[in-house]
Amino acid sequence: GEKVRTIYEDANGYHWFCSEYDGIAIFDPAMERIGILTKEEGLTDNEVKQVQPDKGNLWLLGRRGIVFIPATWLESVLWQ
């Protein structure tokens, strides 16, 4: 039973696919690259139910809590 809970497109054009069991897959269509976020990268749980934008930053609501993603995080950590 894997399924996508939420699909979100952020201000950079990245597509966030939040899953029930496997964390988040982030697709950058301009560069054709995919990044994965799971508990190992700091999520409270691999199930993410909602993404809420906040002035370029993101709040992720998961089964076990909330995670804050600063606007600069993707460029400085995920895409390096």
Side-chain angles (χ1 to χ4, degrees), residues 40-52:
E40 286 76 30
E41 287 76 38
L43 295 181
T44 57
D45 191 81
N46 282 337
E47 180 178 10
V48 177
K49 299 180 180 188
Q50 187 174 356
V51 177
Q52 181 64 45

Side-chain angles (χ1 to χ4, degrees), residues 13-15 26-35 79:
Y14 302 148
H15 301 255
I26 304 166
F27 176 61
D28 175 1
M31 300 293 287
E32 297 184 356
R33 58 187 170 180
I34 296 175
W79 301 131

Side-chain angles (χ1 to χ4, degrees), residues 4-76:
V4 173
R5 293 283 190 187
T6 300
I7 299 173
Y8 173 75
E9 183 177 353
D10 69 17
N12 295 316
Y14 302 148
H15 301 255
W16 297 61
F17 297 90
C18 305
S19 76
E20 183 175 28
Y21 299 118
D22 296 321
I24 301 173
I26 304 166
F27 176 61
D28 175 1
M31 300 293 287
E32 297 184 356
R33 58 187 170 180
I34 296 175
I36 304 293
L37 298 179
T38 64
K39 287 173 52 176
E40 286 76 30
E41 287 76 38
L43 295 181
T44 57
D45 191 81
N46 282 337
E47 180 178 10
V48 177
K49 299 180 180 188
Q50 187 174 356
V51 177
Q52 181 64 45
D54 178 27
K55 301 176 185 171
N57 305 304
L58 296 175
W59 295 90
L60 308 176
L61 174 62
R63 183 180 351 162
R64 291 191 164 83
I66 297 171
V67 175
F68 176 74
I69 305 288
T72 58
W73 186 84
L74 286 176
E75 296 303 326
S76 65

